Amino acid sequence: MNTDEFRKYGKEVVNTVADYYDNVNNMKPFPEVEPGFLFKQLPWEAPFQPESFEAIQQDIETKIMPGMTNWQSGNFYAWFSSSSSFPAMLGEYYSLMFNIIGFSWIGSPAATELEILVMDWLAKLLGLDKRYLSLNVDGTMNKGGGSIQTTASESLVACMVAGREMMFDRLRKNGMSEDEIDQHKYKLVAYVSDQTHCSGEKAANILGCKVHIIQSDSSFRLTKQALHKAIREDKSNGLVPFFVCGSFGTTNTSAIDDLNGIADVAEAEHLWYHVDAAYAGAALACPEFRNLAHGIERVDSLNINPHKWLLTNFDCSALWVADSTYLEKGMCIKREYLPQNEGNTMAREFSNWQIPLGKRFRALKLWFVMRMYGVSGICSHIRSHVEQAKWLERQLMENGNFEIMAPVVFGLVVFRINPGALNLQGNLNSINRINIDFIRRINGEGRIFIMNTLLNEQVALRAPIGAVH
């Protein structure tokens, strides 16, 4: 394909994208296909001779599109929304054009420095403490700062590694030998709640450490008291606590853990304290929500996903650390083919802040979004979804056949059929079956796509409002 053909077909693709978004709300959010549907329609080997763009485009329309789950539909209410916007797409196009592998400052200076600036912009937009800014007011580089990861799951693994390094350093300072520290690897334990995203448990599995899943309270929160009790138990059994993950907006209910209380315990026990704010952290762009995050300024690391609620196409996960020392210690592997600007603090090496070596130019799409929407547009976007969630809550309550299972604080409404309306009090299995059947009926109609969750063994429906459309 030469540049003339690229211009021609590129315009066709842009028109197809625009047409898709013009019509996405008229499409079924979940496709009517069975597993293996595509294997029956496409060849099992690549073509020997080149094929035309027109043939590929035809297959997109007739074979791929019918099997797509339309995450961008305004009728998609499963999991959390996958954010999208045209400004982000334009930024992504430029990223594709440059096609860098930004493992170091020298790999692409503009990409590294724009990421530093954009992450500082975002930190300030969310009202985060200055500990999480890369640039000081005098223009020097801070030990803390932000970087763009792929997902919150990857961020959690990286921060757990940092927490392990911090604990090992403390053991060394207490006089422990390297052989003894090596034995302690098998005694390390991380703490999450039963409402923490599954990535917390997965991160512990990847590191090969133990994980203590703590039962949340009646409001689905991890509390200071429960964490303190779990640590006391584990230390009595010879384990070494090193990491705790709190949540600002859990996946199940958008519950907010006792952030300040957990910070008290983390400081007393020398734990690395990470906060997963992947979904709800975006709400901090609106000052009226910041009082809910009291204590978040004390954490070692925190993460939000602009690709969930901040108009930025997947993947774009924002991670901040208050001090990158242990993150870099756990992630930095030096080789002669990876030159680094040691001694120049302005030349940050982001490969030392993440699991992969390579890095896409994700900062461009976030930069486009923040410039083309502005703070006012981003806040309006968040507030409109919160208002819609409150509207849905009112409709369900006024109907009388439903009950709200958790407070509606952000854009997530969790509800179920009211047992009292069906005279089914006490018969949990029957109530759960009816709610599962209800979900199947809704999804079976094909107009919207919604998922369920389980709260204290009770089946509930989750309706997250957050799609751009």
Side-chain angles (χ1 to χ4, degrees), residues 13-47:
V13 170
V14 169
N15 285 333
T16 299
V17 171
D19 289 343
Y20 174 80
Y21 277 87
D22 281 343
N23 295 286
V24 68
N25 285 351
N26 299 321
M27 303 175 188
K28 290 188 175 182
F30 189 78
E32 294 179 337
V33 295
E34 296 293 333
F37 81 99
L38 197 58
F39 306 148
K40 300 173 183 177
Q41 301 183 72
L42 293 179
W44 289 16
E45 294 180 358

Side-chain angles (χ1 to χ4, degrees), residues 177-426:
S177 69
E178 292 302 319
D179 286 342
E180 290 173 313
I181 289 173
D182 194 55
Q183 291 301 312
H184 269 67
K185 289 180 180 178
Y186 307 102
K187 298 179 181 178
L188 293 177
V189 56
Y191 297 89
V192 300
S193 87
D194 56 3
Q195 299 298 305
T196 303
H197 190 272
C198 62
S199 57
E201 190 173 353
K202 179 181 279 189
N205 290 343
I206 291 170
L207 262 70
C209 67
K210 301 180 186 301
V211 61
H212 191 143
I213 301 174
I214 303 170
Q215 184 174 352
S216 55
D217 67 6
S218 59
S219 299
F220 310 109
R221 302 163 66 242
L222 174 60
T223 65
K224 174 180 181 178
Q225 295 76 13
L227 175 61
H228 182 70
K229 179 183 176 184
I231 290 173
R232 192 168 62 244
E233 286 175 11
D234 289 339
K235 289 175 76 173
S236 69
N237 290 323
L239 299 179
V240 181
F242 81 105
F243 181 93
V244 60
C245 179
S247 296
F248 181 77
T250 58
T251 300
N252 272 340
T253 64
S254 284
I256 300 169
D257 289 339
D258 179 11
L259 300 181
N260 211 36
I262 295 170
D264 290 340
V265 178
E267 289 174 8
E269 299 291 342
H270 308 285
L271 310 182
W272 184 281
Y273 181 17
H274 177 75
V275 164
D276 176 5
Y279 160 65
L284 297 177
C286 305
E288 63 265 29
F289 291 108
R290 292 178 188 168
N291 65 313
L292 300 174
H294 182 52
I296 205 167
E297 71 281 356
R298 301 171 64 188
V299 306
D300 295 294
S301 56
L302 66 145
N303 166 257
I304 76 157
N305 285 347
H307 63 234
K308 275 193 172 70
W309 205 10
L310 277 181
L311 297 154
T312 307
N313 297 54
F314 188 85
D315 52 29
C316 184
S317 186
L319 170 67
W320 290 274
V321 291
D323 186 334
S324 63
T325 301
Y326 292 110
L327 180 61
E328 292 184 338
K329 191 171 184 179
M331 292 292 171
C332 179
I333 302 293
K334 295 184 178 180
R335 292 291 186 272
E336 65 278 0
Y337 50 79
L338 297 174
Q340 301 197 9
N341 284 279
E342 294 183 5
N344 189 335
T345 58
M346 299 304 291
R348 180 155 282 171
E349 307 296 346
F350 276 129
S351 62
N352 299 336
W353 285 50
Q354 61 184 31
I355 295 167
L357 174 65
K359 189 179 192 73
R360 295 176 60 233
F361 198 174
R362 298 184 188 91
L364 274 172
K365 56 187 172 185
L366 192 54
W367 189 52
F368 266 67
V369 166
M370 295 177 76
R371 292 185 69 179
M372 296 189 75
Y373 280 91
V375 174
S376 61
I378 290 170
C379 289
S380 176
H381 170 73
I382 298 292
R383 287 173 179 139
S384 69
H385 288 150
V386 175
E387 289 171 6
Q388 290 176 49
K390 293 290 187 181
W391 177 89
L392 176 57
E393 178 189 30
R394 289 194 302 272
Q395 299 302 308
L396 291 166
M397 292 178 69
E398 290 171 6
N399 179 277
N401 289 317
F402 302 96
E403 66 175 333
I404 304 299
M405 301 295 286
V408 178
V409 180
F410 304 111
L412 176 63
V413 184
V414 186
F415 64 100
R416 68 170 180 168
I417 293 175
N418 186 345
L422 301 174
N423 297 315
L424 289 171
Q425 294 94 329

